[in-house]
Amino acid sequence: RLYNPTSPTMLTVLAFLALFASAADAQGCTTDRALETGQYLCSRQTTLPDALRYDWAINGSHITFEISASAAGYVGLGFGGPNAANPMIDGTAWIGFCSVGGAIMDVQEYRFDGRQPIATNAILTDATCIDDGITTTVRFTRTLAAQNAASFAITPDVPMTMIWATSDTDMLAAHAPNDRGANTVDLDPPITGPCVVDGNVVQGSYLCSFDTGLNGIVFQWAVSATQIAFQVSATVVGYVAIGFSGPQAANPMLNGQSILGFCGPNGGAPTLLEDFVFAGRTPQAGLNQSISNTFCFDDGTTTTVQFTINLRGGDFDIPILGTQTMIWATSGIDMLAQHAVADRGAGRVDLSADGMIEDDGGDDDDDVCFSGSSMLALKRGEKKAIK
């Protein structure tokens, strides 16, 4: 049930993609590591009234999705059939719904016989559904290969017609005419956009910037096929940190990942610039194998750090295409320690294109973001020199 690659519509799409592809041949949604629920590399926001968004990541054999919408009932995402006027007909979809509290939950894959959904009985691993009273969020992982005769193969390297729909009913039922949409999507496009350079990134030469509005935190960046160069500054004499959220929207720091740096006056000791992954709120020191071109300077008013980090192959993958939830924080001391509740923020940022589309807010359950035991264990990092 794929778009016909020889159709005039598809040839136009392929020509468009070829025209705007950069010299970089890196694919933006693929990772070499195991897929993790809540960790995605690409995102697409639809124009539905219910603001349906889907995020995903791919490895060599599987794809993992998150589908969310401000709907009280089901959310659905799939691939269109051959009828361009109504792509749901003879298409396919994953549909999930649940009640607040989880007493009702159902996440399944369907093939449409006309408009009639028929379960394919494909296995969806790590399938979950959460209804918080405002937003319904469905997550699952699925093989790229077809699992049985009723199932279907997913081919990320071929642009496909994606279909989506929502309902306010916790059951499989017809949706309202306006609660659905479709578009042609490449599930594994090359890394392109106004923040992307041909060739290598160079520290001090940035294409995009974003002002978080918090403690003067401004980050600037440029992206290549394999790396991203950042400069992060804040009006603080202490640490500055930016990173990527974990799976919990209410507290995006939990199980997230970040790069944190601080230095003494005029760039002197103590110094630290390191990547961390969080086990809950506890930072686990990264291997630093992916960070280079590091620099930190504290002029007595503002702390500025610079670093280049690999998009793939380090302690975590950097999501580039589409909006992803980024986190940021500051502290007034030159050591790894908890920040105040007011000194952190989060929002969805597109690193391939300049700007933030929404403020996630995020709300810590309490004001302790580092455990006391982790601070002692990580003091060794303060001895690391910054170039």
Side-chain angles (χ1 to χ4, degrees), residues 299-315:
D299 65 7
T301 303
T302 300
T303 297
T304 300
V305 298
Q306 296 176 345
F307 58 90
T308 300
I309 187 167
N310 292 344
L311 301 182
R312 305 287 184 269
D315 299 312

Side-chain angles (χ1 to χ4, degrees), residues 43-57:
S43 178
R44 195 71 176 257
Q45 181 75 51
T46 76
T47 57
L48 271 180
D50 289 334
L52 184 143
R53 186 185 72 241
Y54 54 100
D55 301 77
W56 72 97

Side-chain angles (χ1 to χ4, degrees), residues 16-358:
F16 178 87
L17 291 172
L19 178 64
F20 286 93
S22 71
D25 58 0
Q27 301 306 111
C29 305
T30 297
T31 178
D32 291 332
R33 66 181 75 238
L35 299 178
E36 295 184 49
T37 300
Q39 302 295 330
Y40 307 103
L41 295 176
C42 291
S43 178
R44 195 71 176 257
Q45 181 75 51
T46 76
T47 57
L48 271 180
D50 289 334
L52 184 143
R53 186 185 72 241
Y54 54 100
D55 301 77
W56 72 97
I58 303 166
N59 65 14
S61 58
H62 290 75
I63 186 167
T64 188
F65 276 109
E66 175 178 298
I67 315 162
S68 62
S70 53
Y74 69 68
V75 296
L77 178 73
F79 302 114
N83 186 332
N86 191 335
M88 173 185 166
I89 295 175
D90 296 327
T92 58
W94 301 284
I95 299 174
F97 57 83
C98 51
S99 59
V100 176
I104 300 172
M105 191 186 88
D106 188 76
V107 181
Q108 291 197 56
E109 179 180 285
Y110 297 91
R111 179 183 290 279
F112 293 103
D113 183 3
R115 289 186 174 88
Q116 180 65 35
I118 299 172
T120 69
N121 296 318
I123 297 173
L124 305 180
T125 57
D126 301 320
T128 63
C129 177
I130 299 174
D131 181 347
D132 63 7
I134 299 174
T135 301
T136 296
T137 301
V138 170
R139 295 172 174 146
F140 61 88
T141 299
R142 201 270 208 184
T143 59
L144 294 175
Q147 297 184 16
N148 54 46
S151 184
F152 52 91
I154 303 170
T155 53
D157 55 342
V158 176
M160 309 174 78
T161 299
M162 300 292 294
I163 58 175
W164 48 83
T166 63
S167 169
D168 286 330
T169 304
D170 284 329
M171 62 181 294
L172 200 60
H175 56 74
N178 292 331
D179 290 341
R180 55 100 179 97
N183 203 350
T184 300
V185 176
D186 186 344
L187 287 175
D188 197 20
I191 296 174
T192 60
C195 303
V196 181
V197 301
D198 289 323
N200 298 323
V201 293
V202 177
Q203 278 296 352
S205 180
Y206 308 109
L207 294 177
C208 295
S209 65
F210 176 69
D211 186 338
T212 69
L214 173 72
N215 298 341
I217 300 176
V218 175
F219 52 94
Q220 303 176 69
W221 71 94
V223 183
S224 75
T226 58
Q227 294 182 312
I228 185 167
F230 272 113
Q231 175 176 292
V232 188
S233 60
T235 51
V236 63
V237 178
Y239 71 67
V240 295
I242 63 170
F244 301 91
S245 76
Q248 292 192 26
N251 191 335
M253 175 184 168
L254 290 177
N255 299 314
Q257 50 216 15
S258 73
I259 302 95
L260 181 148
F262 59 79
C263 51
N266 300 315
T271 60
L272 173 72
L273 185 54
E274 193 164 351
D275 55 314
F276 297 96
V277 291
F278 290 97
R281 289 186 177 90
T282 303
Q284 308 290 321
L287 301 176
N288 267 346
Q289 64 194 44
S290 57
I291 290 183
S292 59
N293 301 322
T294 55
F295 169 83
C296 179
F297 191 80
D298 175 354
D299 65 7
T301 303
T302 300
T303 297
T304 300
V305 298
Q306 296 176 345
F307 58 90
T308 300
I309 187 167
N310 292 344
L311 301 182
R312 305 287 184 269
D315 299 312
F316 48 82
D317 291 340
I318 305 294
I320 296 297
L321 298 177
T323 61
Q324 304 292 336
T325 299
M326 293 194 69
I327 55 178
W328 44 82
T330 65
S331 172
I333 56 176
D334 286 329
M335 65 178 292
L336 192 64
Q338 70 188 57
H339 57 74
V341 174
D343 292 337
R344 56 94 181 96
R348 293 189 67 84
V349 181
D350 188 340
L351 290 174
S352 66
D354 201 359
M356 180 180 78
I357 66 161
E358 63 188 69

